[in-house]
Each structure stands twice: as C-alpha cells, then as structure tokens.
Amino acid sequence: MNITLIAEPSSNPVLDTALDLLRERHTVAVLDPKSLSPWGFRPEPSGRRDGDMVLLKSRTAEARSWAHHAERAGAVVVNTPTATDTALDRQLSAELLEAAGVPTPRTLAFASLAELAREAYRPGAAPLPWPLVVKSRTSRRGDLVRLVVGRHELAELLPEWGREPVIAQRFLPNDGFDLKFWVVGEHVSVARRPAALEVRRKDADVELDPSSLPEGLVDIARRAGHAIGLDLFGADIVLSEGRPVVIDVNAFPGFRGASDAASHLAGFVEHAWQRRAVAS
C-alpha cells in the first residue's frame, strides 16, 4: 500500500511512531500541504489506484482540495475531505449533531459578530442566553473562541472581529474540566483536562479508563464524530448539572495523551485498506 500523510511539519511522536510501524510493510510519504501539486493527486505511474491511501491531517484549503482529487481518483482518504470540511464548519456540525440526537449547547448562527452585537442591542429582541461562548464559524488556527458575559465584552471584540461569521453557544456551568475523547476507529481513550476556556497546561491531563465512566458517555463521544462522518477524531464533553454535553469535535487531532494511539492508528489504517480490498 502507498500511504501519504498530508500534514504541516511538526514534531508529533504519536504520528511519527505510527508511520514507522506502517513503514515496516508499506511505502509511506509525508507531504507538507504547501508543497502539494496545484494539479491535484496523481496515482502511482502504473495507474494502480486501489493501493493508495491518504491520511488527511492538515485542514488547509489546499490540503482538502488535493484530498478531494485523490478521492475522485480512487484513493482511500481518511478522514474523508467532505467530513473534514464539515468538521471545520461549526454551524453545520452543530446542526448535524442536533439532528443525530447528540446533546449539544444551544447554538445561534450570525453572518458576522457585528450582527450578533446588533441583535444584543435591538429593542424587543429575544434576550440572548448570557453568558455566551462566541466562536468563529470556521474552525482554524487563531480563530475566535471567547467567553462573553455581556454586551460590553461583546462590543470590545468588534474592532478586530466585527466582520467575522460566528456562532454563539450558551455557556454551560461545569466544574472547569472537559472530558477529552480520542477515537481511532473503534478504539476510544479519554482524559480529564482543564476546559478550553481555562488556562491549560500540557501536563494537566489525567488519563481515565473509559469503562469507568458513567454509562453512555463513550457512546455519545462516538456518535458525535460519526454524525459528522469522521473515523479519526477528538470529542470534548462537559458535565453540566450532571448532564453530558458535546462542546467540540475535531477531525484528526494529534492524539497526544491518547492511550497507545500510535499502534491503534497504524492498525486502523491497515484495517481500512483491507476493507477496501475486500470491497473491491
């Protein structure tokens, strides 16, 4: 099998180990999304396409476009570019999670942060559920994710973010911690970590045994990713007044902190390839 990982250059021991395991039996290449051909994916010179697999780690527009080309040419792409596109759209993701019956915060969408501010000040408008977690509609590096407790804090964001399309979610009272789930196919691992809106230390994660969690939590995490179409993902859950709520789903995270993630990732890639071979 020819495996191509599309990822920005970075030090990731989980991915490095997984690729080393795969190199024992397969040909593995790592491509920086900035180096991708503008003409799109090309299968190997023989024209054989059933042995090509693309691991779409990068979320850039260039990487996703290239992955769409690869999929149309017959390669297996994980996560699929369509699912990755969906995961980056927070409004669409929220709609799919709600449709799938996954518990999520109440989510409001606005064409811009300025429109949200106008709604907050509009006479006769339905009151907003303060405090709000305001997020860029499109998930990306350096995007807007902010807890806003009232109109004055909202107004302070306008000079920088006024034109940004956003979603606003009701802030859910919790104990200041998230349950961070990492899902690789059927394998699930979980850790307790300081919530995304808190100051976070990389060494603050506490690994948990999934079997020790309250019944249904692992199933909720799985359903959250599957509702978006993901096979490799992270899901963040908070417990608010004893009720689990999914507050974020990420396509193809780095899996740092996940238990034995490298071997499970390598195993998933081979299993996905075998499924394809059987289907062919």
Side-chain angles (χ1 to χ4, degrees), residues 2 42 78 81 87 98 114 136 144 170 184 201 208 214 232 244 274:
N2 297 310
R42 293 289 183 272
V78 181
E98 182 178 5
S136 297
L144 173 64
R170 184 172 68 88
V184 180
R201 298 196 331 267
L208 303 176
L232 305 174
Q274 291 165 0

Side-chain angles (χ1 to χ4, degrees), residues 12-280:
N12 186 313
V14 174
L15 289 180
D16 291 345
T17 302
L19 295 180
D20 286 342
L21 292 171
L22 291 167
R23 284 189 181 99
E24 295 176 2
R25 292 177 295 277
H26 310 286
T27 301
V28 177
V30 180
L31 296 182
D32 183 335
K34 293 180 181 178
S35 70
L36 297 176
S37 165
W39 296 282
F41 171 80
R42 293 289 183 272
E44 58 183 298
S46 67
R48 178 171 174 248
R49 298 174 178 178
D50 60 336
D52 289 303
M53 174 167 283
V54 175
L55 304 179
L56 180 57
K57 176 73 172 67
S58 173
R59 301 169 189 176
T60 66
E62 295 82 3
R64 289 180 282 126
S65 175
W66 194 91
H68 277 288
H69 280 288
E71 191 173 57
R72 287 194 293 268
V76 177
V77 183
V78 181
N79 292 299
T80 69
T82 298
T84 303
D85 291 345
T86 301
L88 295 177
D89 185 331
R90 289 184 170 119
Q91 179 183 348
L92 179 56
S93 293
E95 292 170 357
L96 290 174
L97 292 175
E98 182 178 5
V102 176
T104 57
R106 178 189 174 193
T107 301
L108 305 171
F110 298 89
S112 68
L113 184 68
E115 181 183 299
L116 168 57
R118 286 194 294 271
E119 185 67 13
Y121 283 94
R122 184 168 64 86
L128 294 171
W130 306 104
L132 296 172
V133 179
V134 179
K135 304 178 182 179
S136 297
R137 171 169 174 165
T138 302
S139 174
R140 62 189 187 280
R141 189 181 300 276
D143 62 0
L144 173 64
V145 179
R146 198 74 55 85
L147 175 63
V148 179
V149 299
R151 295 173 178 174
H152 63 288
E153 288 194 2
L154 190 61
E156 290 173 357
L157 296 173
L158 290 175
E160 181 178 0
W161 297 100
R163 297 183 179 181
E164 180 81 1
V166 297
I167 64 167
Q169 295 178 318
R170 184 172 68 88
F171 175 75
L172 300 173
N174 58 81
D175 61 0
F177 290 87
D178 297 344
L179 292 175
K180 177 67 180 182
F181 289 81
W182 294 277
V183 181
V184 180
E186 294 302 314
H187 178 73
V188 178
S189 58
V190 61
R192 185 173 182 262
R193 66 165 45 167
L197 295 172
E198 304 289 335
V199 176
R200 179 181 294 173
R201 298 196 331 267
K202 290 185 178 180
D203 62 349
D205 287 6
V206 177
E207 185 176 350
L208 303 176
D209 179 354
S211 66
S212 70
L213 297 176
E215 184 178 358
L217 271 181
V218 171
D219 179 63
I220 289 172
R222 280 202 179 105
R223 287 196 292 123
H226 294 166
I228 297 173
L230 300 169
D231 292 304
L232 305 174
F233 62 93
D236 294 346
I237 293 178
V238 298
L239 298 178
S240 181
E241 300 176 343
R243 175 175 172 261
V245 182
V246 176
I247 58 170
D248 202 9
V249 181
N250 296 302
F252 210 141
F255 293 108
R256 291 181 177 91
S259 63
D260 201 18
S263 62
H264 286 290
L265 183 56
F268 171 83
V269 170
E270 292 201 319
H271 183 62
W273 179 49
Q274 291 165 0
R275 286 204 314 263
R276 167 65 176 271
V278 170
S280 302

